[in-house]
Amino acid sequence: MNLLELFIYPIKSCGRIALNQAEVTLKGLAGDREFMWVDESGQFVTQRTYPQLTKIQVQRLENQIELSVDDQEIEPFKLQPTLTGTSKTVQVWRDQTVAIDQGDAVADWLQYALKQDQQPYFRLMRQSPDFIRPVDPNYAVNPNNQVSFADGYPCLLTNTASLAELNRKLKETYSTSSPEIPMNRFRPNIVIDTNQPFIEDDWKTILIGEVYFDLVKPCSRCIVTTTNQKSGERNELKEPLKTLATFRQQPRGVMFGFNMIPRNTGIIQVGDSVKVVETH
């Protein structure tokens, strides 16, 4: 088994960046979900409520981040990330933490890019290095485990055989009209190439490159999986979530992929072998 693809999502719920190699930090892949949009109350904003956020493409330009949309009328915005902006308390699920406002200009640009009226008005926030967001203690491996603005865990792993099995079942149901569901619907950080669907269910610890990962919780899926990650359009039949629920329903939700916590820091890269260190 090998590491096939690596992705980061610098801004939560916006476009991804494919990498050939990544630095693994204690919070996950460096640069992943370091930023997120919040509403005026500080509540996090995601594709669950605003699927059009996926149309915001993100690129890294040395020490800047470029935001763009496929619209010739809207010029890309070059963001100079700051750690000296206004600090504000923000909410991510049940967690409250402090983040740093990235300014009016990028907030105004998003308003224009999403073609919204004055309300709602979102602010782009950067995670503060001075405030650690801990992993859910029910799943943490040690008290020092921390996470970025990801939903709950530092890294998300998926495998190619699982996606192939899901597409096979979709084809059985919709024999003439089933579209091929791409992996981007599941927004993973790490995609591995295997020939056994959901093989990671049995894993406890793996080694990729020089980094050990503990697999702590299968990932429960939501409405985002039904959202086209290019257009922002939702599937009217709630696919692939509906079909996934027929064979991956567990007590805590419909599962696809696995949440992981790195034990150490280091570099991983596409092509690295994936070694199973410990199973359940």
Side-chain angles (χ1 to χ4, degrees):
M1 298 177 294
N2 294 300
L3 197 166
L4 183 67
E5 295 177 301
L6 275 172
F7 300 104
I8 60 170
Y9 308 79
I11 303 176
K12 186 177 180 68
S13 270
C14 291
R16 67 184 186 177
I17 297 176
L19 304 175
N20 288 320
Q21 70 172 36
E23 176 190 357
V24 181
T25 75
L26 295 181
K27 292 194 296 185
L29 303 190
D32 185 55
R33 277 99 168 180
E34 185 179 358
F35 301 83
M36 71 175 180
W37 303 102
V38 301
D39 63 19
E40 292 175 331
S41 70
Q43 182 74 19
F44 76 125
V45 174
T46 74
Q47 285 186 39
R48 294 172 180 86
T49 309
Y50 296 94
Q52 61 269 43
L53 283 174
T54 192
K55 296 162 69 174
I56 307 299
Q57 297 155 24
V58 183
Q59 296 295 328
R60 295 191 297 187
L61 305 173
E62 295 183 355
N63 62 343
Q64 292 183 320
I65 295 175
E66 183 181 82
L67 284 65
S68 63
V69 290
D70 285 332
D71 188 327
Q72 293 181 347
E73 297 178 1
I74 301 175
E75 291 292 326
F77 183 89
K78 290 184 173 62
L79 173 70
Q80 181 66 58
T82 181
L83 290 171
T84 59
T86 302
S87 295
K88 181 176 181 178
T89 300
V90 297
Q91 185 95 18
V92 190
W93 296 113
R94 291 175 295 178
D95 298 338
Q96 278 196 343
T97 187
V98 174
I100 301 161
D101 197 306
Q102 299 301 294
D104 293 341
V106 68
D108 291 343
W109 181 88
L110 181 72
Q111 191 84 351
Y112 182 50
L114 295 183
K115 295 179 166 54
Q116 295 185 157
D117 296 329
Q118 288 302 308
Q119 297 293 336
Y121 186 75
F122 302 143
R123 307 292 299 189
L124 184 65
M125 308 298 292
R126 184 181 190 183
Q127 191 172 34
S128 171
D130 298 327
F131 292 85
I132 291 175
R133 181 179 169 225
V135 168
D136 182 341
N138 292 318
Y139 296 97
V141 177
N142 68 64
N144 298 320
N145 290 153
Q146 54 187 281
V147 63
S148 65
F149 285 143
D151 276 348
Y153 302 90
C155 295
L156 175 62
L157 174 144
T158 61
N159 95 57
T160 55
S162 303
L163 183 65
E165 177 66 5
L166 173 58
N167 277 313
R168 186 185 69 78
K169 288 182 178 292
L170 284 165
K171 191 70 174 177
E172 286 180 350
T173 304
Y174 308 97
S175 57
T176 60
S177 61
S178 176
E180 191 85 1
I181 296 297
M183 191 66 87
N184 66 10
R185 293 288 185 93
F186 299 95
R187 297 177 67 81
N189 297 115
I190 295 170
V191 181
I192 59 172
D193 191 19
T194 73
N195 56 16
Q196 184 175 335
F198 308 104
I199 189 174
E200 66 273 16
D201 286 352
D202 297 326
W203 298 345
K204 188 172 181 181
T205 307
I206 60 174
L207 175 65
I208 303 177
E210 56 191 36
V211 181
Y212 289 87
F213 295 89
D214 290 305
L215 285 79
V216 295
K217 181 182 178 294
C219 185
S220 59
R221 310 315 307 212
C222 68
I223 195 70
V224 171
T225 61
T226 72
T227 307
N228 184 304
Q229 292 295 299
K230 290 186 177 180
S231 69
E233 296 175 350
R234 290 253 167 89
N235 182 278
E236 294 180 352
L237 299 175
K238 295 187 177 180
E239 292 292 7
L241 195 58
K242 182 179 176 182
T243 293
L244 192 61
T246 64
F247 68 108
R248 291 293 295 171
Q249 182 72 55
Q250 297 180 14
R252 293 189 179 93
V254 180
M255 304 300 183
F256 188 99
F258 231 95
N259 294 300
M260 305 194 301
I261 299 174
R263 283 191 187 178
N264 60 294
T265 61
I267 302 296
I268 60 175
Q269 56 188 357
V270 170
D272 279 347
S273 64
V274 178
K275 300 176 182 177
V276 180
V277 176
E278 187 177 1
T279 60
H280 290 289

